[in-house]
Amino acid sequence: MIVSAQTYNIILIAIVILIAIRPLYTRLIKKQGNKHDWMFALLFLLLPINWYTPTFITVTSCGKFTKEVLLFPGEKDGVSYSYGWNNYIINKSLNTVAFEYIFYGDNKRKEDELDKIITPGKIEKVNEVTIDFVFEEEAKSVSTKSSGATKTTLYCM
C-alpha cells in the first residue's frame, strides 16, 4: 500500500498521540505520577519505521513531482517493492532526470554512491534515505562540524 507523504505524516502523528495519550492521562488527569511513563519508550519504534520506509518520487514533468511513501510491501507500475533504506524515482515525464551526489569539503565518493540517469518511463532505486535537493538549485557550500559533507540532488537534464 502506497500513500501520499502527507497521509504518511498524519499516520505517524496519530501513532505518537496513541502512544502518549495514556501516560499523559495518568500523569496529568489522574495525578498518579509516572505509572505509565514507560510507554513513551515506544516512541523509539518510530525511528526505524521512518528510516526504513521507502519513498517514491514520481516525476511528471521538469520540476513537477509527487512524493509517496510505502506503508506495506506491494506493487506499483508492475514492480514489487519492499522495505529498505532507499528511494525510488519513477520518471513519467518526457525529460531525462539525473540523480547525483554532491561533495563538499574533503568528502570523497564512496563505493555505493553512484550517480544515475533516469530516462523517460524508467524506475530507478536510489540507496539514500532522503534526497536533499529535488528540482532546486544545490547549495554552493554547507556548514558542517567536520571537514566535509555529501548531499544528493535530483534534476532535469
Side-chain angles (χ1 to χ4, degrees), residues 49-108:
I49 288 172
N50 201 26
W51 277 45
Y52 293 103
T53 304
T55 302
F56 295 87
I57 296 176
T58 304
V59 180
T60 53
S61 69
C62 231
K64 294 188 180 186
F65 65 95
T66 58
K67 193 172 182 181
E68 299 171 305
V69 179
L70 179 73
L71 277 186
F72 301 108
E75 198 172 293
K76 179 178 179 165
D77 298 328
V79 178
S80 293
Y81 300 103
S82 61
Y83 296 120
W85 191 344
N86 52 47
N87 279 295
Y88 291 95
I89 301 169
I90 303 167
N91 189 359
K92 290 187 176 181
S93 73
L94 299 175
N95 304 356
T96 300
V97 176
F99 171 81
E100 249 181 37
Y101 286 90
I102 306 166
F103 303 96
Y104 297 96
D106 295 338
N107 271 23
K108 302 280 188 246

Side-chain angles (χ1 to χ4, degrees), residues 136-157:
E136 58 188 58
E137 193 171 325
E138 61 268 3
K140 301 289 182 219
S141 65
V142 294
S143 175
T144 64
K145 293 181 181 179
S146 63
S147 60
T150 301
K151 300 287 183 179
T152 54
T153 183
L154 182 67
Y155 61 92
C156 280
M157 295 185 79

Side-chain angles (χ1 to χ4, degrees), residues 8 12 15-16 19 40-54 83-85 129-130:
Y8 176 72
L12 284 181
I15 290 170
V16 168
I19 289 172
F40 285 120
L42 294 175
L43 292 174
F44 287 114
L45 291 175
L46 294 180
L47 292 174
I49 288 172
N50 201 26
W51 277 45
Y52 293 103
T53 304
Y83 296 120
W85 191 344
V129 175
T130 61

